[in-house]
Amino acid sequence: MKRIYLLASALTLVFASCQKSSEESVEDSMLASQETLEIAKEQCGTMGVLDEKIAENPDLVAKMAAVEEHTQKALSNGWTKRLAADGKIEIPIVFHVLYKDASENIPLSQLQDQVAALNEDFSMNNPGRNTIPSEFTQVEANIGVRFVLEDVIRVKTKKRQWRPDDSMKFTSSDGSDVVNPQEFLNIWVVSNMPYRGGNILGYAQFPGGSWATDGVVMDHRFTGTTQYSTGRTATHEVGHWLNLRHIWGDGGCGATDFVADTPDSDAASRGCPTYPTVNCGTADMTMNFMDYSDDPCLNMFTEGQKSRMLSVFANGGFRATMAD
């Protein structure tokens, strides 16, 4: 069981930006022609993005502290249990597809595939869940959240590359403005996102940030079903958007993800690990959506993660208006 720290640890991760490094740089010509993209395993640019965001807006620290304080209060008072008893929460998604070339203007079917993958993962219908070890099936959770496709906004831009600086979220910087973020999950689908020598596949804004930038950003090649993806990158990023941390707590043994039923671990998983993979004296939950295993090997959320996510919809929570 992880140690649960309150506000001080809550401030260690404000924005999630999950990054996979390239073995070779990806040239514009490769992007345009959709040739084979060589992707090494995922690494997280979280702390760099965190530093940038806090430098831009120091008030974000206090806002994140308030969100975490409400989360702990909701959990201790059982507010999430009452919320879950009311039925499923439906979250409409607005996709912003930003493209320079036709290959980046992904079809509606690909976006529909992404919504279907999210619904599988958040309703305990993931196709690989029959491989979950019995040790973990007892805490596997149906989150009770359903996603629907609300709208698709397509914007032809002049940019082929985007930094994770939220510029894609504003028409003034050749992007697309957020749409009603207190009611809709906004997902920006963009082209290549180089960052720190790698290629970011997606990043999310945690509860507590500005409504003007609230949502998830995805590389178009890792949105829905593609040669690179089965849609689990979005599941991971939406988990962050709903206030989940990486399962290993972004630290060594003893670091916390604020969830009691996810085993302690010392680092992210790679590939498709064989069970049991033991670190910190327990078997790693390598199949958890908030780890870094390959898409086909990510299959579950836990009851603790469910409670943490539902707390943002509880009365007074950052996303409470979505549960009305």
Side-chain angles (χ1 to χ4, degrees):
M1 181 176 290
K2 292 187 173 64
R3 300 194 296 273
I4 304 299
Y5 304 102
L6 293 179
L7 302 185
S9 295
L11 306 180
T12 62
L13 197 158
V14 178
F15 287 83
S17 174
C18 295
Q19 174 185 12
K20 293 187 180 179
S21 59
S22 288
E23 294 176 354
E24 300 177 349
S25 62
V26 181
E27 302 295 339
D28 282 355
S29 60
M30 291 180 66
L31 290 171
S33 63
Q34 292 294 289
E35 294 178 12
T36 300
L37 178 67
E38 294 191 29
I39 295 291
K41 276 314 296 173
E42 206 167 85
Q43 296 178 359
C44 194
T46 296
M47 297 311 297
V49 174
L50 170 64
D51 291 343
E52 293 170 4
K53 293 300 179 184
I54 291 179
E56 294 170 2
N57 179 18
D59 292 342
L60 192 56
V61 173
K63 291 179 180 178
M64 284 299 298
V67 170
E68 188 59 34
E69 185 174 26
H70 174 271
T71 296
Q72 297 302 325
K73 189 174 182 180
L75 295 175
S76 63
N77 290 330
W79 296 346
T80 60
K81 293 179 181 178
R82 292 196 296 273
L83 180 65
D86 293 337
K88 287 191 175 183
I89 297 169
E90 185 171 277
I91 299 179
I93 299 176
V94 174
F95 285 102
H96 305 254
V97 179
L98 310 182
Y99 66 98
K100 185 174 187 294
D101 295 329
S103 62
E104 299 161 359
N105 188 17
I106 61 176
L108 178 62
S109 59
Q110 191 172 334
L111 301 175
Q112 291 170 329
D113 282 348
Q114 182 59 80
V115 174
L118 288 169
N119 282 328
E120 287 177 348
D121 298 343
F122 281 80
S123 64
M124 211 164 71
N125 283 315
N126 181 275
R129 61 181 293 264
N130 61 341
T131 65
I132 298 172
S134 58
E135 175 184 3
F136 300 136
T137 55
Q138 59 187 328
V139 295
E140 183 189 13
N142 181 338
I143 308 306
V145 171
R146 178 174 178 265
F147 300 87
V148 295
L149 200 162
E150 176 73 17
D151 195 11
V152 180
I153 299 170
R154 297 182 185 273
V155 179
K156 185 172 177 58
T157 77
K158 298 176 182 178
K159 294 185 179 181
R160 187 183 297 283
Q161 297 183 343
W162 299 83
R163 276 197 82 252
D165 59 2
D166 292 337
S167 57
M168 69 287 294
K169 301 176 182 179
F170 297 95
T171 57
S172 59
S173 52
D174 209 20
S176 180
D177 292 336
V178 69
V179 176
N180 196 3
Q182 296 188 36
E183 298 294 338
F184 302 146
L185 163 57
N186 284 251
I187 299 180
W188 287 264
V189 182
V190 303
S191 55
N192 189 34
M193 290 189 287
Y195 186 58
R196 297 188 171 186
N199 290 287
I200 293 176
L201 306 189
Y203 73 97
Q205 180 168 304
F206 272 59
S210 168
W211 287 115
T213 54
D214 190 68
V216 169
V217 182
M218 295 287 301
D219 184 310
H220 73 286
R221 293 160 295 186
F222 296 86
T223 302
T225 302
T226 72
Q227 67 184 104
Y228 310 113
S229 166
T230 65
R232 269 67 219 185
T233 296
T235 299
H236 180 103
E237 299 304 341
V238 172
H240 284 313
W241 180 77
L242 291 175
N243 210 26
L244 291 187
R245 309 302 176 91
H246 291 134
I247 196 169
W248 67 98
D250 292 286
C253 296
T256 184
D257 63 351
F258 299 94
V259 177
D261 60 8
T262 56
D264 201 0
S265 187
D266 63 348
S269 300
R270 309 291 178 180
C272 284
T274 302
Y275 174 84
T277 298
V278 178
N279 288 293
C280 306
T282 55
D284 289 349
M285 192 179 282
T286 62
M287 67 295 304
N288 191 284
F289 292 120
M290 302 313 295
D291 206 340
Y292 278 177
S293 301
D294 289 346
D295 270 19
C297 302
L298 294 173
N299 302 311
M300 67 176 290
F301 288 117
T302 70
E303 288 290 341
Q305 289 175 319
K306 173 180 179 176
S307 293
R308 185 170 178 84
M309 284 190 277
L310 291 184
S311 70
V312 302
F313 299 111
N315 186 35
F318 191 79
R319 306 200 186 283
T321 54
M322 288 186 171
D324 292 342

